[in-house]
Amino acid sequence: MSLRGVLVGCGFFARNHMNGWADAAGAEIVAVCDLDPAKADDFAGTFGARAYTDAAAMLAAERPDFVDVATTVGSHRTLVTLAARHARLVICQKPFAETLADARAMVAACEEAGALLLVHENFRWQRPFRALHAALPRIGTPHFLRLSFRHRFDVYANQPYLAEVDDLALTDVGLHLFDVARFLVGDIASVHCRAQRLNPRVTGEDAFLASCGHVSGAVTSIECSFYTTRHPEPFPETLAVVEGETGTLALGRDYRLTLETADGVETIDAEPPLPAWGERPWHAVQDSVRALEAHAVEVLEGRADPQPSGAHNLETLAVTLAAIRSARTGQAVDVADLLREG
Ligand SMILES: NC(=O)c1ccc[n+]([C@@H]2O[C@H](COP(=O)([O-])OP(=O)(O)OC[C@H]3O[C@@H](n4cnc5c(N)ncnc54)[C@H](O)[C@@H]3O)[C@@H](O)[C@H]2O)c1
């Protein structure tokens, strides 16, 4: 029998969630909910689900196996805490939380209720990063990572609320990049960060440069900008270089992944597949949502642990908050100190 899921928040990005769930083997979304009845009805009609405007009423009536929370960050604590009491798995979109207190409350609520918690960190589920991760043993112990996400795509057209987010680049995309850095190279111990406000149309800082020291001794440089003109427009691609003891892996434009060693250069296939409902150049993002949802089914079936779990993502939030503090003070910030502060 198919696993029964419900989705909360029928907004811009949730359409990818719903298309992805329609592709998921072994799971289906039986009901959707939005405060705006027109949005809930639209999703329900398009995807064949029941519509609600109240999450508590939906959860009580539907008794789902899993809840997919696709709302913006301000509602996460309330919705995740509620969902934990009604389902075996809660999936929460990023940013998981704005504060460590909120993140801790959600992790605790899920633990107390015996529910699993998976954060929708889909960058680490992008095909190029999976291919890069799989190839890491071929370059020996990594000592350097560079991630570059620089573009001028008008993200404010689909997500107008972003124009008023403080620390925009760090909280919208920075946390994805910190998660990828942890996925590829391991935990981050300290961060030094400089942020810039480049686009006069937005309130928050829309670019940053972060230097991370990993527990392993490796270092990572992260360069992110929402105000960089290139042609062709690179959005939504992330470029990456990982240097290891015996080689370098480089992820370039058009998902070209190369392995460079003393013996020469090998090209590795990292092109994301195009979902039947997808469209270039969004396919890397669309396929990553589908991959994360396939992973959620594995988690529900007991075949995998959440990647990343709420507890893991709480530490990625701490890295992000450390970067914000560093950008304000000009000092490097120790992630463990920040976690100890509460
Ligand atoms: N992982 C990614 O690649 C990616 C990409 C884009 C957006 N996002 C994230 O997805 C989240 C949603 O972004 P969006 O652009 O789709 O936002 P949106 O504003 O378009 O959609 C959010 C929807 O949630 C609804 N909602 C809010 N509180 C609710 C509640 N208590 N009950 C029911 N419905 C509620 C709103 O009415 C709205 O329709 C954000 O946190 C954003 O950062 C992630």
Side-chain angles (χ1 to χ4, degrees):
M1 209 178 78
S2 206
L3 294 158
R4 298 171 70 259
V6 297
L7 175 130
V8 188
C10 304
F12 160 66
F13 200 71
R15 200 163 286 276
N16 291 318
H17 290 222
M18 293 300 289
N19 278 312
W21 286 122
D23 281 356
E28 62 177 322
I29 297 293
V30 296
V32 297
C33 167
D34 200 290
L35 297 173
D36 179 342
K39 287 184 173 182
D41 286 344
D42 175 29
F43 267 43
T46 304
F47 296 102
R50 284 175 287 280
Y52 293 81
T53 52
D54 178 56
M58 173 174 73
L59 290 166
E62 298 290 344
R63 307 171 66 84
D65 294 299
F66 66 96
V67 182
D68 190 6
V69 177
T71 60
T72 46
V73 67
S75 53
H76 287 177
R77 181 171 173 170
T78 305
L79 289 169
V80 168
T81 306
L82 172 71
R85 298 198 294 272
H86 288 87
R88 289 195 284 130
L89 172 68
V90 184
I91 308 165
C92 180
Q93 249 300 346
K94 52 60 64 171
F96 180 38
E98 285 174 320
T99 64
L100 289 176
D102 281 353
R104 286 197 172 107
M106 289 186 273
V107 170
C110 288
E111 274 173 12
E112 277 160 29
L116 294 161
L117 177 54
L118 168 66
V119 179
H120 192 117
E121 271 293 359
N122 55 319
F123 271 43
R124 67 158 63 202
W125 287 98
Q126 286 181 14
R127 170 76 186 272
F129 286 125
R130 296 321 274 191
L132 208 160
H133 185 264
L136 282 176
R138 301 185 64 189
I139 62 166
T141 307
H143 51 245
F144 173 81
L145 166 66
R146 183 170 72 230
L147 296 173
S148 180
F149 185 90
R150 304 183 71 80
H151 69 85
R152 184 87 174 251
F153 179 73
D154 183 8
V155 291
Y156 315 103
N158 288 323
Q159 298 169 275
Y161 58 89
L162 290 181
E164 287 170 18
V165 172
D166 289 338
D167 310 300
L168 169 63
L170 278 162
T171 58
D172 187 56
V173 169
L175 40 73
H176 280 307
L177 300 172
F178 292 128
D179 182 62
V180 168
R182 295 182 71 200
F183 174 54
L184 296 176
V185 187
D187 284 345
I188 295 170
S190 68
V191 193
H192 184 272
C193 182
R194 288 178 195 279
Q196 295 169 296
R197 179 172 170 258
L198 300 175
N199 186 341
R201 272 180 59 204
V202 308
T203 314
E205 286 162 323
D206 52 350
F208 73 87
L209 172 63
S211 161
C212 309
H214 290 262
V215 172
S216 67
V219 292
T220 288
S221 170
I222 302 185
E223 307 151 6
C224 177
S225 158
F226 293 14
Y227 206 63
T228 296
T229 304
R230 300 292 303 270
H231 192 85
E233 168 57 59
F235 191 84
E237 290 185 45
T238 308
L239 309 184
V241 175
V242 194
E243 297 177 12
E245 215 173 327
T246 57
T248 295
L249 285 157
L251 177 61
R253 292 293 294 268
D254 300 322
Y255 307 106
R256 189 182 140 79
L257 178 60
T258 54
L259 168 65
E260 300 167 30
T261 64
D263 297 332
V265 182
E266 185 184 319
T267 301
I268 298 169
D269 179 20
E271 175 73 27
L274 176 67
W277 48 271
E279 188 189 351
R280 291 175 198 279
W282 318 117
H283 58 311
V285 178
Q286 292 163 332
D287 178 63
S288 71
V289 170
R290 200 167 58 164
L292 184 140
E293 291 171 350
H295 169 66
V297 173
E298 285 184 335
V299 170
L300 276 158
E301 291 176 346
R303 292 184 284 120
D305 294 325
Q307 272 192 52
S309 66
H312 186 279
N313 204 250
L314 187 153
E315 292 182 13
T316 306
L317 173 65
V319 175
T320 310
L321 295 174
I324 291 171
R325 181 180 295 180
S326 173
R328 297 217 171 113
T329 61
Q331 306 294 313
V333 176
D334 194 297
V335 178
D337 285 348
L338 199 132
L339 279 164
R340 264 192 297 274
E341 282 171 26

